[in-house]
Amino acid sequence: MRFLLTPPRMLATAAVVSLAALAAALVAQYQFDIKPCPWCVMQRGIFIMIAVVSVLGWCLHRVKAARIVALLLVAALGVAGLVAAGYQHEVASKLASCDMTFADKVLTALDLEARWPSVFMVTASCSEASAYTLLGQPYEIWSGLLFTLIALGSLLTLKRRPRLHA
């Protein structure tokens, strides 16, 4: 575990994991016809933001303040993603429609469906999207697990004291 807990390695890992999660979602959508709901798409956006912040933090990791800000933002985004996945699983999946929920309002306000439809086009309701599973668990559970690991990794990296070189 110590291997991952240096700031550059943690930031690189967060970026790779986030982009892999996005790629997996797109493969599931386009190869296996798994249709995303607004909360699924919101989580994609959070994974993209984690990747961007992580790459910027990785590039600037020699600047202590930039490294700390990047790790804090990645942790906060991980928590935001976990909240989104939890909300999708516990609340939105039980709604007849997820129109005009927070996720739908954000996607509409940012016009993401029109700007990048191949990634952000909503094609299912939340109850439909939660019916899809991978290894017996809904996709939002897997997403929430990844967000949790990213947030914990970032926080543990911040907590870790750097070793002094002799």
Side-chain angles (χ1 to χ4, degrees):
M1 187 72 164
R2 186 165 48 197
F3 175 77
L4 287 178
L5 294 180
T6 64
R9 288 181 180 148
M10 180 57 219
L11 292 166
T13 300
V16 169
V17 166
S18 294
L19 293 175
L22 176 64
L26 294 173
V27 167
Q29 179 179 351
Y30 291 108
Q31 294 300 314
F32 300 104
D33 202 33
I34 306 294
K35 295 177 175 28
C37 71
W39 288 95
C40 301
V41 172
M42 170 80 85
Q43 291 168 65
R44 290 178 185 188
I46 296 170
F47 277 124
I48 291 169
M49 290 189 295
I50 289 172
V52 168
V53 169
S54 296
V55 168
L56 289 173
W58 180 82
C59 290
L60 300 170
H61 78 273
R62 294 192 190 278
V63 179
K64 185 176 181 180
R67 177 177 64 234
I68 290 169
V69 168
L71 287 166
L72 284 171
L73 283 172
V74 167
L77 288 166
V79 170
L82 177 59
V83 168
Y87 183 86
Q88 177 185 351
H89 185 70
E90 293 297 327
V91 178
S93 64
K94 294 159 182 66
L95 300 174
S97 170
C98 34
D99 287 347
M100 302 315 294
T101 61
F102 178 74
D104 196 47
K105 289 177 184 178
V106 168
L107 296 173
T108 301
L110 296 175
D111 200 28
L112 290 175
E113 284 185 295
R115 293 174 194 253
W116 201 3
S118 61
V119 174
F120 294 112
M121 180 67 69
V122 173
T123 57
S125 72
C126 295
S127 60
E128 291 170 320
S130 290
Y132 299 116
T133 62
L134 176 66
L135 300 175
Q137 294 298 318
Y139 278 82
E140 66 269 16
I141 296 295
W142 295 108
S143 179
L145 178 62
L146 286 179
F147 284 126
T148 300
L149 292 174
I150 289 168
L152 283 176
S154 297
L155 292 173
L156 289 173
T157 301
L158 281 167
K159 184 180 179 221
R160 182 178 177 268
R161 294 182 189 267
R163 297 169 89 185
L164 297 175
H165 298 285

